[in-house]
Amino acid sequence: FLGSAKGSTTGHKCDSANDIIANSHDFSRWYPWGSKNLTVPTDNGGIVEARGRLISFDGAYQELEPKCVSPGSVWNLSFQSRLYDESTGVKLDCQPQNIDYVDCPFVIVQTIKNGNAENFVYRDTAMAWDLEGWSKFETTLKIMEGMVG
């Protein structure tokens, strides 16, 4: 996975950029999720790159600011991505309309309430996949009552 992400809000302001996702050239809030071999390089020109993924849920993550995820807040999340087999360099195809296809980008929002974790998976089934270039992923995250607290 290679990508850059930007989230914007409707009706809530979290920081000067109105973003919940720290990106640009500040990688201090990106962390590896999953494989111990996963790395998130910080020297590749503004792109988060997840390497050493063993399963589809391995990737890069951020902890969101609690003040940004109040119930009722709505976030537009978009990023450019491309996928390839790390060992062969072969570009991977994606069938966005097939939600069971594991080689497509997706976003997981994990909430932890009273020590219990719950995952909410967001996919862009309307995404136009570009095998030779960057593909734009877009989705809307709505923070529902019960997801925080």
Side-chain angles (χ1 to χ4, degrees):
F1 164 82
L2 296 167
S4 61
K6 183 170 184 71
S8 61
T9 181
T10 303
H12 295 266
K13 184 171 178 158
C14 292
D15 61 26
S16 61
N18 229 14
D19 291 335
I20 57 170
I21 308 231
N23 197 31
S24 187
H25 294 283
D26 173 14
F27 291 93
S28 63
R29 288 177 45 194
W30 284 105
Y31 304 97
W33 176 268
S35 171
K36 288 189 256 183
N37 298 323
L38 182 73
T39 60
V40 182
T42 59
D43 59 352
N44 57 2
I47 297 172
V48 174
E49 184 175 12
R51 296 180 181 172
R53 298 175 64 227
L54 299 177
I55 60 172
S56 62
F57 279 69
D58 289 350
Y61 86 95
Q62 287 189 15
E63 291 184 16
L64 303 181
E65 293 291 331
K67 68 180 179 181
C68 296
V69 291
S70 60
S73 61
V74 177
W75 295 93
N76 300 312
L77 178 68
S78 65
F79 59 87
Q80 300 285 330
S81 67
R82 60 180 164 190
L83 303 168
Y84 64 93
D85 184 307
E86 186 176 336
S87 61
T88 65
V90 172
K91 297 170 187 160
L92 298 177
D93 198 9
C94 166
Q95 299 171 10
Q97 297 75 23
N98 182 350
I99 63 170
D100 295 321
Y101 199 77
V102 297
D103 285 333
C104 289
F106 58 91
V107 172
I108 298 174
V109 175
Q110 182 180 72
T111 63
I112 300 175
K113 189 172 179 181
N114 300 323
N116 297 315
E118 186 172 1
N119 292 324
F120 300 88
V121 179
Y122 295 85
R123 299 178 187 275
D124 180 359
T125 57
M127 176 175 47
W129 188 253
D130 181 356
L131 184 62
E132 298 303 319
W134 292 92
S135 300
K136 186 170 186 176
F137 178 102
E138 297 179 286
T139 192
T140 301
L141 310 176
K142 183 172 183 181
I143 307 302
M144 307 298 286
E145 198 69 44
M147 289 176 75
V148 295

